[in-house]
Amino acid sequence: MAAKREHSKILLIYTGGTIGMVKDYHTGALKAFDFAKVVEGIPELGQLDCAIDSVSFRSPIDSSNMNPRHWVTIAGLVEKHYSDYDGFVVLHGSDTMSYTSSALSYMLENLEKPVIFTGSQLPIGDLRTDAKENLITSIQIAALKEEGLPVVREVGLYFENKLYRANRTTKINAEHFEAFASLNYPILAESGVHLKVHRENLWRNRIKKPLKVHKELDDRVAILKLFPGFNRDLLRGVLNISHLRALVLETYGAGNAPTEDWLLDDLKKAIDRGLYIVNVTQCSGGSVIMGQYETSRELERMSVINGRDITTEAAITKLMYLLGSNVSGNSFGTIFETSLRGEMT
């Protein structure tokens, strides 16, 4: 059943990325699209029966240059305008969109309004662009209300006809319009002839509290992917990074790693000196099940944190968030293994 549309106020937050470019047909060069005139440039938006305002980064950036300072800027814009708008659409380059949107899901605690990330594979002014549909439908989703309340009340990512929970996504294709996937959680909505919202999949806060925006992130984290031929010098090079506080260890299959004594010894010593290590599968879908095989039993015994079915993007940003929140060492693993914003099953 499609949700009913009521008049809403939507704020576009343009950070940069392909979606914000339009071709100058006199020179052939790409230039920035003026989102202050978005309804004028995309008249179809006038059919949505919502007021649309926009704000842009002073200097729009390529998503490859996105970092935690920019995440804080985005969160700050949502915080600043939270009471004035019914929903937010963040325009962002696709390459790191899953990282940014996952981070925002943690940073925006008690969120009761939609924050929808979108972008495009082709510039908004390109003949075959996917930008217009992504933008129009993202605004439509952000504007959905029932009985005066937003239908979506979480951080989402909309791309190529599908709305995903943002912290469940990963970018899977650099060329196709269907660039993202959420293999461990079903979609929240899909756009076809009608916009269909899957209410049973939407996030709901159990207790209604005022929005709390977390702006302290700790980036002293790393990701280490295992591979055949992985050696001790590489392991020690990572574990001995100055001031490293947490590590995402991308293991095989259901959380398996080699049983070499040197690997297990070095990991245990790192944990004993206070490093948090999270076990995340390299597979696009599925879950870590530590202890299922002998090759993961030792990791479980040394208190490696079980990432279960979390994505690498959601894991690394969750570490930054928890470290920045000064979670105590005694409870860190338990809190990480707890779903905070629907990021893990």
Side-chain angles (χ1 to χ4, degrees), residues 253-256 287-297 300:
N256 304 310
S287 178
V288 164
I289 310 174
M290 289 207 296
Q292 182 177 30
Y293 298 99
E294 185 61 36
T295 45
S296 65
R297 202 160 293 151
E300 184 178 38

Side-chain angles (χ1 to χ4, degrees), residues 29-75:
L30 293 174
K31 60 182 181 180
F33 182 79
D34 185 0
F35 282 98
K37 299 178 180 178
V38 65
V39 178
E40 181 182 314
I42 307 175
E44 296 92 336
L45 290 172
Q47 300 179 49
L48 293 181
D49 189 30
C50 63
I52 304 170
D53 294 325
S54 68
V55 61
S56 297
F57 273 23
R58 187 169 300 169
S59 299
I61 61 170
D62 187 286
S63 69
S64 297
N65 291 318
M66 189 63 67
N67 62 50
R69 293 193 308 276
H70 299 123
W71 301 344
V72 171
T73 299
I74 298 169

Side-chain angles (χ1 to χ4, degrees), residues 42 137 175 224 297:
I42 307 175
T137 308
E175 185 174 329
L224 181 58
R297 202 160 293 151

